[in-house]
Amino acid sequence: MSENPAPAPAAMPAISGDAELRETVRFRYAAAAVQVAEGGSACCGPSAIEIDASFGAGLYADADRGELPAEAVAASLGCGNPTAVADLNEGDRVLDLGSGGGIDVLLSARRVGPAGKAYGLDMTEEMLALALANAAKAGAGNVEFLKGAIEAIPLPAGTIDVVISNCVINLSTDKPAVFAETFRVLVPGGRIGVLDVVADDALTPAQRAERGDYVGCIAGALSFTEYRQGLAAAGFTDITITATHQVADGMHSAIIKAVKPTDAHSMPPLMQAETGCCGATAADKASGCC
């Protein structure tokens, strides 16, 4: 593991549409990683350096924060503590979608113990560099950080027991792909325990955008019904969505839990017809598992 500081983020190119949103998210979090590496702090709230009651490290218990390097705590960008709601067990294999500076990966690694493993997935090189440095400082041997998109998880099917995420899925421009990929990598009986921003059903996408921008974790949020329907379409059952606190008018941090049925295949039925190579997805093929 390297303790090299995060590199400065590259300038954001001029692009459009979903690609522009994605690059805006990448650039903003790359800059946050650099800021933390240089001794500052970062947050998913209205200001890039402020931590308030709705987002950031203040949502973790003092005991959890005290276990970790200061840089991992300072880089907390989420809307809660997924490791407190994901029911992690000794020996579990955990995947954190959008792992940032590594706070939830490191906490998960402690909970699953030496027999388990915690993976972090992030698309931002600067955050990955910061996470690797934090893991080295924490002496965590059962962690691995992967570069990639949460819409195309670079892990084989059926290899993860628990998927967690902290205020990241709302940032994706292809949430059905995130749900389908999450379902794919989970073992039958595997589960998700994520925190995300969720909108009241009465709010239109335009009204959500009025309450905050996309990179600020507001404009891209799904409604309660949309979230439930998206998970069900991917094949999940036992879906619960529980609001914890309000982050804007009609917008809430919420705990989302769901289970992959024990008799489920690696992919939901709608995806199986679209894949080949012994039923593997593109991510499986890239990993060489087929």
Side-chain angles (χ1 to χ4, degrees):
M1 298 176 184
S2 170
E3 293 195 41
N4 293 332
M12 189 173 70
I15 46 183
S16 60
D18 287 351
E20 182 179 22
L21 280 175
R22 183 185 181 87
E23 180 59 19
T24 299
V25 170
R26 188 208 65 78
F27 185 79
R28 182 253 184 268
Y29 287 94
V34 172
Q35 184 173 7
V36 170
E38 294 175 347
S41 62
C43 183
C44 187
S47 169
I49 61 172
E50 292 179 359
I51 294 178
D52 59 25
S54 297
F55 297 96
L59 298 171
Y60 290 81
D62 290 343
D64 285 337
R65 285 182 284 172
E67 293 180 358
L68 303 175
E71 292 83 357
V73 176
S76 173
L77 310 174
C79 52
N81 178 0
T83 63
V85 304
D87 303 320
L88 301 181
N89 301 314
E90 186 84 15
D92 277 342
R93 295 159 297 175
V94 184
L95 170 64
D96 181 18
L97 301 180
S99 48
I103 184 170
D104 296 319
V105 174
L106 297 179
L107 288 174
S108 296
R110 290 174 179 258
R111 284 161 173 73
V112 302
K117 187 163 184 178
Y119 294 90
L121 174 64
D122 205 282
M123 68 174 181
T124 310
E125 293 206 12
E126 295 83 357
M127 276 295 184
L128 289 169
L130 181 61
L132 286 168
N134 287 332
K137 290 174 184 176
N142 59 337
V143 305
E144 183 176 346
F145 291 97
L146 307 169
K147 183 180 179 182
I150 62 175
E151 299 86 358
I153 300 171
L155 286 171
T159 54
I160 298 296
D161 299 299
V162 187
V163 171
I164 64 174
S165 187
N166 194 353
C167 201
V168 171
I169 295 174
N170 70 82
L171 295 170
S172 172
T173 58
D174 190 354
K175 296 173 182 66
V178 177
F179 296 147
E181 278 289 273
T182 300
F183 188 93
R184 180 185 67 82
V185 300
L186 282 169
V187 299
R191 58 204 185 276
I192 67 170
V194 310
L195 287 119
D196 211 359
V197 174
V198 183
D200 285 343
D201 287 337
L203 293 183
T204 66
Q207 289 171 327
R208 297 169 212 174
E210 291 171 356
R211 286 154 172 77
D213 61 11
Y214 204 99
V215 75
C217 306
I218 300 297
L222 297 174
S223 70
F224 283 89
T225 294
E226 290 166 346
Y227 221 116
R228 183 181 299 276
Q229 290 175 341
L231 289 170
F236 286 100
T237 60
D238 301 322
I239 302 164
T240 63
I241 305 176
T242 307
T244 59
H245 60 275
Q246 184 167 276
V247 300
D249 184 22
M251 311 287 294
H252 313 269
S253 173
I255 298 167
I256 298 103
K257 294 186 177 183
V259 175
K260 178 175 179 174
T262 55
D263 59 352
H265 297 290
S266 294
M267 295 168 288
L270 290 178
M271 289 192 65
Q272 291 177 23
E274 301 174 3
T275 59
C277 188
C278 54
T281 65
D284 281 327
K285 297 172 192 175
S287 69
C289 69
C290 145

